[in-house]
Amino acid sequence: MAKTIISVKDLHKKYGSFHAVKGISFDVFEGEIFGLLGPNGAGKSTTLEIIETLREKTSGTIEVAGFDLDKDPNEIKKLIGVQLQTSGYYPNLTLAELIVLFAGLYNQPVNPMELLETVNLTDKAKSKYKELSGGQKQRFSIATTLINHPSIIFLDEPTTGLDPQARRNLWDLIKEIRLKGTTVIITTHYMDEAEVLCDRVAIIDKGKVIALDSPDKLIDDLVASGFERPKQVKNANLEDVFIHLTGHELRAEN
Ligand code: ADP
Ligand code: MG
């Protein structure tokens, strides 16, 4: 039986008179990769930031690991890993120094090299954040979510703007983190990403959940409803060609 670790019920968020989140409900199970999937402006980041205790909700109830967000936000903060905004700050510190700094903010002992090892960045320990490629920046920001050994991590569009190798690389990293028992909530507007990465997805549009299930089940339901793709799809796409030609392995620049 799947155990619920996050429960969101009838969540609403208004920015002034604009109703951005209109009664969203979903449960996240312990140990799964759960996707919030939707176009820009759907309300994904708003929902995520409210659960992260970083943004006020207008109404609704949220429980994380049995703690009520309204009553025990500090207990929730101890359990979660949130991507820190690293860009622009402390431009002269190295990655190892930044990790020590963040660990100090969390009041957590940390071995910077061990943490950099989990995201494959040991060779960049002495580099500055601004010197990293897009994929490396994302891997570093994922490392910062792991500093306090969280039960749950939140990733808001971690692969936006990355090239195909760097994206696949990040997918592998996210799967590895989940294998260690961490629950992952990720937002994305890439459907292919959700399909390969997420155990279950909530599709959000205009502030409402319009579907919630495993990607497989959602596709099967659509096919069962009589849907057919208008033309025969090839067994590969241009991205497959690109990956096949350029290789999938970890590269120095991603
Ligand atoms: P997503 O992450 O799915 O792209 P967001 O949660 O960022 O969506 O935004 C949902 C809607 O709320 C958008 O229309 C956005 O413009 C609006 N919005 C987000 N943050 C604010 C804010 N601080 N003030 C006013 N409107 C906001
Ligand atoms: Mg967003």
Side-chain angles (χ1 to χ4, degrees):
M1 230 342 242
K3 191 176 157 209
T4 299
I5 191 160
I6 295 176
S7 173
V8 175
K9 289 204 173 72
D10 201 22
L11 178 67
H12 288 260
K13 174 66 182 181
K14 286 183 182 165
Y15 293 109
S17 61
F18 178 68
H19 206 160
V21 173
K22 301 174 188 152
I24 282 183
S25 301
F26 60 86
D27 286 347
V28 177
F29 302 143
E30 197 167 65
E32 75 176 339
I33 301 178
F34 187 86
L36 292 177
L37 194 57
N40 286 331
K44 305 180 296 295
S45 296
T46 299
T47 302
L48 212 63
E49 288 165 12
I50 291 170
I51 305 170
E52 291 170 337
T53 76
L54 299 177
R55 204 179 269 284
E56 294 275 328
K57 58 184 162 60
T58 302
S59 65
T61 54
I62 294 177
E63 274 188 19
V64 179
F67 293 110
D68 185 308
L69 185 95
D70 296 324
K71 295 186 193 125
D72 292 311
N74 291 329
E75 294 300 325
I76 293 176
K77 283 180 194 162
K78 286 183 208 161
L79 294 170
I80 65 174
V82 173
Q83 272 176 303
L84 298 167
Q85 298 299 314
T86 43
S87 56
Y89 295 107
Y90 314 110
N92 293 315
L93 296 187
T94 65
L95 299 193
E97 287 165 344
L98 280 170
I99 286 176
V100 171
L101 178 75
F102 292 140
L105 299 179
Y106 281 119
N107 202 13
Q108 288 278 333
V110 75
N111 178 337
M113 290 314 279
E114 209 172 276
L115 193 58
L116 289 173
E117 171 74 44
T118 60
V119 296
N120 227 317
L121 281 175
T122 41
D123 55 335
K124 295 284 169 190
K126 293 199 168 87
S127 302
K128 290 165 188 164
Y129 179 78
K130 64 179 180 196
E131 295 162 359
L132 304 179
S133 71
Q136 289 166 344
K137 282 182 175 153
Q138 283 301 347
R139 295 215 304 281
F140 181 70
S141 109
I142 289 179
T144 67
T145 71
L146 300 173
I147 287 174
N148 60 333
H149 308 287
S151 311
I152 308 161
I153 63 169
F154 295 85
L155 305 175
D156 197 355
E157 299 203 8
T159 65
T160 295
L162 299 185
D163 67 48
Q165 282 99 352
R167 283 176 82 209
R168 285 166 195 228
N169 212 250
L170 214 64
W171 296 346
D172 290 344
L173 173 62
I174 294 167
K175 286 180 186 166
E176 276 167 34
I177 291 170
R178 186 269 290 279
L179 273 181
K180 290 178 187 155
T182 311
T183 305
V184 180
I185 303 192
I186 181 172
T187 72
T188 183
H189 55 256
Y190 297 121
M191 304 302 138
D192 59 333
E193 175 162 292
E195 202 176 330
V196 297
L197 202 55
C198 297
D199 298 301
R200 293 187 312 136
V201 297
I203 300 180
I204 298 182
D205 191 30
K206 301 191 187 95
K208 290 188 173 162
V209 174
I210 54 173
L212 198 169
D213 217 316
S214 66
D216 249 4
K217 179 73 166 52
L218 291 172
I219 294 165
D220 288 349
D221 285 354
L222 179 64
V223 172
S225 77
F227 176 89
E228 269 181 57
R229 282 194 171 177
K231 65 177 174 133
Q232 182 59 42
V233 180
K234 294 179 186 175
N235 287 331
N237 62 22
L238 190 58
E239 179 165 314
D240 295 320
V241 174
F242 179 81
I243 293 282
H244 183 73
L245 293 174
T246 60
H248 171 196
E249 73 279 4
L250 184 61
R251 298 176 161 215
E253 66 274 16
N254 65 40

